[in-house]
Amino acid sequence: DFSKERYDEVIEKLDRQGFVFASDERPQARAWMAKVMKDAMSDRLGSAERIMQWLRQTAAIAARHPADSEGGATGLHWMVPTGWPWAMAYGRKRKRNAHVRVDGVRSTALVYSESGQELDAAAQTDAIAPNVIHALDAAALVFALDAMKEIFAVGVIHDCVGGRAPEMSTISKAVRDGFGRLYEKHDPMRAIHA
């Protein structure tokens, strides 16, 4: 997952003197590099891309049928492999100007409110793949931490786990086992589909 800055960094390393890409050609070079990298990865990650497309289509369908019996936005719901509920319902955002006085000076602020009745289809489809991955990463870490009950010094950021050097082999095994447990008795895509 490369950002514009990362592509620029790669181009700068490969072409420091600007012999190949002039400054005004770099945006096109960046776009070309992104396409080449995506094409190269799709050979290896084709099924992941199909799953992401399916998730986006699922989110789009759910966004078209948002209301529950009380008229509220329901979004998508499923149980992660830990048994915890997961829900995603990004409401349509409305914006309005709010006029306020601060120290006697009148100002205008832009205020956003989120609808509880209508879903934002674009937000739903854009967020589903990363949200599902975050949910699965969190579930794997719950399983891993459960297996590390005897270890007291563990640091976690997303799916990265750190600890003291003498305990790293135990931590490493627990993390691998945690990710394995995600799929032993669970099929997350089938659960989302249901």
Side-chain angles (χ1 to χ4, degrees):
D1 184 25
F2 270 42
S3 64
K4 173 187 172 293
E5 292 77 21
R6 182 71 176 115
Y7 283 114
D8 287 341
E9 185 180 312
V10 171
I11 291 171
E12 184 62 30
K13 279 184 181 176
L14 296 174
D15 187 27
R16 286 190 196 286
Q17 305 299 318
F19 293 133
V20 179
F21 301 113
S23 293
D24 61 334
E25 294 173 331
R26 291 196 175 206
Q28 294 91 346
R30 198 172 39 247
W32 171 82
M33 190 183 330
K35 183 183 179 329
V36 167
M37 289 180 71
K38 184 177 182 196
D39 290 347
M41 288 188 307
S42 68
D43 291 346
R44 292 182 172 83
L45 303 175
S47 60
E49 195 166 305
R50 284 191 303 277
I51 290 169
M52 190 169 90
Q53 288 172 351
W54 177 80
L55 285 169
R56 290 176 60 83
Q57 289 168 348
T58 300
I61 290 167
R64 287 195 301 264
H65 307 286
D68 62 13
S69 59
E70 288 86 43
T74 60
L76 294 169
H77 301 268
W78 63 290
M79 290 292 214
V80 296
T82 56
W84 295 348
W86 178 92
M88 188 180 82
Y90 291 100
R92 185 175 306 280
K93 289 187 176 50
R94 301 191 196 303
K95 60 183 176 180
R96 66 179 176 81
N97 289 328
H99 303 287
V100 296
R101 285 195 181 276
V102 178
D103 291 333
V105 178
R106 184 172 186 240
S107 296
T108 302
L110 190 57
V111 177
Y112 289 91
S113 61
E114 191 171 322
S115 170
Q117 306 289 309
E118 301 173 61
L119 293 177
D120 182 335
Q124 290 285 111
T125 56
D126 289 346
I128 188 156
N131 284 348
V132 167
I133 294 303
H134 290 315
L136 292 172
D137 285 350
L141 290 174
V142 167
F143 290 145
L145 291 170
D146 187 47
M148 292 188 257
K149 288 179 183 167
E150 74 282 355
I151 296 176
F152 296 102
V154 176
V156 177
I157 300 174
H158 295 288
D159 58 354
C160 298
V161 181
R164 296 178 333 142
E167 299 168 331
M168 283 311 295
S169 61
T170 303
I171 292 170
S172 178
K173 182 179 180 337
V175 170
R176 286 192 311 276
D177 291 348
F179 275 96
R181 280 183 63 187
L182 284 178
Y183 305 102
E184 284 175 345
K185 298 176 185 166
H186 309 282
D187 183 344
M189 294 305 113
R190 194 174 305 275
I192 292 170
H193 182 265

